[in-house]
Amino acid sequence: MEKSMLPANTRPGDVILVSIEKSSGIINAIWPTQARLHGVAGKRCIGKKIQSFLTPASKMVYKTAISKKNKFSESIIRLELCSKKLPPASYACSVWHMRKQPLVLVIHNKQVPETSGTALPSNGSELIEKREAEQMVLAAKNKFKRILEKITMPIAAYEIQEPKRFVFINPKFTEWFGYTIEDIPDIDHWRKVAYRDDAYFIRMQKIWREELIKVQQGEKPESHPIEVTIYCKDGSTKDIEMSFSTDNNLCYITFNDVTEKNCATRALRASEKKFRNISEQLPIPICVFSDKGETRFLNNAFVETFGYTKEDIPTRLDWLTKAYPDTDYRNEVIANPETATKRNPSKSRTRLVMQYEVNCKDGSKKIIEFFVSIGNKNEYVVANDITGKVKAEEELKLSHRQLRELSSYLENIREEERKHISREIHDELGQQLTLLKLDLLQMSKKLHPEEKEMIEKMKQADQLLADTMRSVRKIATQLRPSILDNLGLVSALEWQSREFEKNFGIKCVFESLLNEPQFTANQSNALFRIYQEALTNIARHAGATRVDAVLSQEDLRIVLEIRDNGKGFRMEDMAGKKTLGLKGMQERTLMIDGDYRIESTPGQGTYIQISIPILITNQEIRQL
């Protein structure tokens, strides 16, 4: 009994396309994907050899059909398929080539006579069977052709051997380049219209042939992309990447338009060239490192400043090693930008300003201010040599420190002179005036009561002497209040507050929050004079009705705060004025290593804060 034809797919009349590696017979793909190969799901067939589905006799028929010597490569053949799912059955099949695949086995849902594996049918019914099978093959080819025409990239196929005709181009090819297959029937026509420079074509043809030989010899399945410039039918040009694979005498080419990419690349290269040209002319050292730490660029100013060339520091690590030979210092330099980058993980670019001492190639050291911009791909470093600036600043600071020390020394001498003069006036002159008063008193007792005129003159002299003694005491106190030396700073500030309130009629409240005052002589003198100057300024300019002052301790510092309820002023208005009183308070504060702060708002009064370090302990005070 003749074997029955079992369908390879689930629907009558369907065609199955099986992509097969020619050398190994391994199945690469099956279309449609839901098809079943003799009862076996298509996805389970992929990776297996087609021979495993053929009976021994059909294996020989299949081998003959795929042979290069077979002149009827697309004729209908009968193959008997077998599997564990179904009993063996015969199928009408044909073999034909397909782009980028060695071959395609087309399996039809039709049975053919079993008299011959490869012979062509001769009687009428067999001819009908053949025509029907050929029609199904043609339908499958047309369906596959429609698939190719829908692909969104240009595809072309031409014969490798003469006459090198184009056998296929898809609509996307015509859309991109404008040429139809009638415009370019063969490679010669394509060369004339697409490559208008013969030298350029010969150069590209050489590259093409080298790749073609490698693909034909099986060294690679397809060529690497070859970039060329092609003229379109409308006269415009496109930068194209072409890749190809071969199958017997056919070469299948795919095209990728890289015109925009090349334009962007050229623009980037032009921008880089412009950047290099500008950077080379700048007198500021510039360096660029890649994200992998490679040194990409050094300008002339960088080489002149540090002495290192690109060969000396090919990587960022080489630069760090040579610029910062001390390991601990180098680790500090490395840690700073890494820490800053971690602090800003969301930012695509991090900008840093750092200052380090750099070892130059000649052994000299320079203080450099670095401006670093860290992007996604590069690290841009701009250096500014501030060695001279830092040296000048240090010299200026030294000069200021020396001037301040001199000013402090002169102030101390002045205070000592005031103290000496105050004591001389109080002790010597005061004592002499007291003796003189006693003498006048004795003389007045010896006068006769009738000598009224003399008694009156003696009273006037006594009054004048009393006024003179008050003036002497006032002058001595103004020069140096004895209470400052005898009872200390707190008592002196309290006394000054009472004197201020008595003299100017402005209420002045002073409060000390210190348990045991801790001051050196210089600190006591400076704070007292600052307080005096502040009260004087308030009396002259503030128009205040109340002054509050507090002396307290915060951590290891003594703080004097003075606040009034006067008219205040704008801080910016004081910038250009010769406010000697304010400048004097600031200088006195700096001379005792203190901090000076003043705040004022029109209509809201003025606030002054003096903060000085504690330089003497309670034990040292008790030992004085």
Side-chain angles (χ1 to χ4, degrees), residues 544-574:
T545 59
R546 180 183 175 94
V547 178
D548 291 283
V550 179
L551 187 66
S552 62
Q553 180 176 335
E554 294 181 4
D555 297 330
L556 296 177
R557 299 183 75 83
I558 299 295
V559 179
L560 174 62
E561 298 171 282
I562 307 164
R563 187 187 302 273
D564 68 68
N565 63 350
K567 59 185 179 182
F569 57 88
R570 288 164 52 89
M571 295 296 296
E572 52 269 26
D573 294 342
M574 296 293 106

Side-chain angles (χ1 to χ4, degrees), residues 348-450:
S348 59
R349 184 177 294 275
T350 302
R351 294 174 177 82
L352 308 169
V353 180
M354 299 168 290
Q355 182 176 312
Y356 298 114
E357 186 179 71
V358 176
N359 282 56
C360 301
K361 189 175 181 179
D362 60 4
S364 62
K365 295 183 178 181
K366 294 182 178 180
I367 300 173
I368 304 297
E369 187 176 38
F370 290 101
F371 300 86
V372 182
S373 179
I374 303 175
N376 293 329
K377 294 185 178 180
N378 293 314
E379 179 180 323
Y380 304 90
V381 182
V382 177
N384 182 22
D385 187 355
I386 58 173
T387 307
K389 175 186 172 184
V390 171
K391 186 177 179 182
E393 286 178 352
E394 289 177 351
E395 291 176 352
L396 185 60
K397 288 178 182 178
L398 177 61
S399 176
H400 284 173
R401 187 166 58 252
Q402 291 173 342
L403 287 173
R404 192 163 289 119
E405 289 173 355
L406 177 60
S407 178
S408 178
Y409 174 71
L410 293 175
E411 186 63 29
N412 290 336
I413 292 176
R414 195 156 43 241
E415 285 294 333
E416 288 298 323
E417 284 297 320
R418 285 174 177 171
K419 185 189 297 185
H420 176 70
I421 294 171
S422 176
R423 284 178 180 174
E424 286 295 322
I425 292 174
H426 185 273
D427 296 344
E428 296 296 328
L429 186 56
Q431 185 178 3
Q432 291 174 5
L433 289 173
T434 301
L435 292 174
L436 183 58
K437 184 176 179 62
L438 291 174
D439 288 342
L440 284 174
L441 181 61
Q442 291 296 327
M443 289 174 63
S444 64
K445 289 180 179 180
K446 294 179 179 182
L447 290 174
H448 195 276
E450 294 178 356

Side-chain angles (χ1 to χ4, degrees), residues 275-282 284-290 294-316 318-319 370 379-383:
F275 166 76
R276 287 176 178 271
N277 291 338
I278 294 173
S279 300
E280 290 295 351
Q281 302 302 320
L282 289 174
I284 303 172
I286 298 175
C287 176
V288 179
F289 297 110
S290 71
E294 301 169 349
T295 304
R296 286 188 169 176
F297 174 74
L298 301 176
N299 70 342
N300 294 330
F302 188 96
V303 178
E304 292 172 2
T305 302
F306 302 108
Y308 302 115
T309 63
K310 194 172 180 180
E311 289 71 26
D312 297 323
I313 49 172
T315 66
R316 183 174 180 267
D318 292 314
W319 157 251
F370 290 101
E379 179 180 323
Y380 304 90
V381 182
V382 177

Side-chain angles (χ1 to χ4, degrees), residues 468-481:
T468 303
M469 291 179 69
R470 281 195 297 271
S471 297
V472 167
R473 283 195 299 271
K474 183 179 179 181
I475 292 170
T477 301
Q478 287 178 343
L479 283 171
R480 175 79 176 184

